[in-house]
């Protein structure tokens, strides 16, 4: 299937964003993946990151992994212990239950290894499409478009897609982005969305791709 043509080319936009973000820290889950190359840490830190500030995700993940960093080890912890370690992550009680549930399934049904297919990941408790795709991306190097609110917002602001939800944006972006950029788009757009293309009062004067955005009309911001 031919890619939807966009102006300027998506590769140009990605390059400009990378330059603008030079020296900025990557999102917490990306840093954890780069440091550990461990799919289990990627999975769990992604679960912690949902509706949670990046700095909280980093510190909460570190506290948990300092105590237990394998599925077998986490499976032996109590929900109270995990909740205490990941606090104040959002919905920490629910996340603790899901993390332990995932760990036990991985230990008992997958020989302690995180499953490497989207279908198997989605079968784990508390794992949605975003978490599954990011685990495939950063844990296994599998190409999948991981869309959160930042990716959804920026892609719509640039006029690459016209969607109402992150869920709809995944399929739309698969038709726009070269497959070689599927893994990078989440980490890059999350970092850009937090520092420049923010949800409210975006820093357009500091944006390296503002001209591309203006070509489709600033009024289309989402």
């Amino acid at each position: 299937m031919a890619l939807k043509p966009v102006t300027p080319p998506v590769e140009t936009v990605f390059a400009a964003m990378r330059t603008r973000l030079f020296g900025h820290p990557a999102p917490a889950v990306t840093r954890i993946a780069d440091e550990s190359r461990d799919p289990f840490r990627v999975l769990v830190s992604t679960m912690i990151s949902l509706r949670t500030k990046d700095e909280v995700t980093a510190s909460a993940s570190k506290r948990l992994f300092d105590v237990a960093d394998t599925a077998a080890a986490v499976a032996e912890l109590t929900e109270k212990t995990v909740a205490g370690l990941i606090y104040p992550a959002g919905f920490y009680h629910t996340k603790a239950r899901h993390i332990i549930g995932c760990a036990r399934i991985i230990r008992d049904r997958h020989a302690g290894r995180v499953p490497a297919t989207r279908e198997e990941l989605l079968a784990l408790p508390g794992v949605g499409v975003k978490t599954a795709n990011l685990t495939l991306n950063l844990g296994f190097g599998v190409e999948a478009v991981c869309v959160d609110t930042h990716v959804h917002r920026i892609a719509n602001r640039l006029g690459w897609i016209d969607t109402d939800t992150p869920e709809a944006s995944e399929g739309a972006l698969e038709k726009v982005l070269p497959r070689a950029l599927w893994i990078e788009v989440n980490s890059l757009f999350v970092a850009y969305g937090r520092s420049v293309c923010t949800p409210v009062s975006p820093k357009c004067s500091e944006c390296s791709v503002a001209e591309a955005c203006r070509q489709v009309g600033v009024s289309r911001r989402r």
Side-chain angles (χ1 to χ4, degrees):
M1 180 182 293
L3 295 176
K4 175 183 176 182
V6 297
T7 304
V10 293
E11 294 89 349
T12 301
V13 173
F14 270 59
M17 286 184 175
R18 292 186 202 109
T19 299
R20 174 63 178 77
L21 292 173
F22 182 77
H24 284 246
V29 177
T30 303
R31 297 198 305 271
I32 289 168
D34 289 342
E35 292 166 1
S36 68
R37 301 296 178 185
D38 181 352
F40 183 70
R41 291 195 180 207
V42 173
L43 171 64
V44 172
S45 61
T46 302
M47 295 173 73
I48 293 171
S49 74
L50 303 176
R51 297 191 181 184
T52 298
K53 292 182 178 180
D54 210 46
E55 59 269 23
V56 174
T57 296
S59 59
S61 298
K62 184 179 186 307
R63 285 193 299 273
L64 176 59
F65 297 143
D66 282 347
V67 172
D69 64 354
T70 65
V74 172
E76 297 300 322
L77 300 178
T78 66
E79 288 184 19
K80 181 178 180 180
T81 296
V82 174
L85 290 169
I86 68 173
Y87 175 85
F91 305 99
Y92 59 95
H93 285 298
T94 300
K95 289 177 180 177
R97 183 172 68 253
H98 288 159
I99 288 169
I100 291 174
C102 285
R104 290 174 178 169
I105 291 172
I106 291 167
R107 178 194 63 186
D108 298 340
R109 302 182 193 175
H110 298 284
R113 298 184 181 89
V114 175
T117 69
R118 175 164 159 158
E119 293 73 19
E120 289 174 309
L121 287 167
L122 289 174
L124 297 174
V127 174
V129 172
K130 173 191 170 183
T131 298
N133 282 356
L134 198 59
T135 300
L136 291 173
N137 285 175
L138 302 181
F140 295 99
V142 173
E143 296 159 335
V145 177
C146 178
V147 178
D148 69 349
T149 57
H150 296 290
V151 177
H152 170 70
R153 179 179 69 255
I154 294 172
N156 272 281
R157 285 179 173 176
L158 287 167
W160 292 355
I161 58 176
D162 186 9
T163 57
D164 293 323
T165 65
E167 292 74 20
S169 295
E170 180 185 345
L173 280 171
E174 286 178 353
K175 299 174 183 178
V176 173
L177 296 179
R179 197 175 186 93
L181 298 177
W182 284 15
I183 291 178
E184 184 185 7
V185 65
N186 185 268
S187 296
L188 183 65
F189 279 32
V190 167
Y192 206 80
R194 287 173 176 163
S195 61
V196 181
C197 196
T198 52
V200 180
S201 301
K203 302 173 183 176
C204 299
S205 63
E206 301 177 18
C207 179
S208 58
V209 295
E211 289 302 321
C213 187
R214 294 189 185 110
Q215 287 174 16
V216 299
V218 176
S219 62
R220 292 189 57 187
R221 296 194 181 283
R222 302 184 181 209

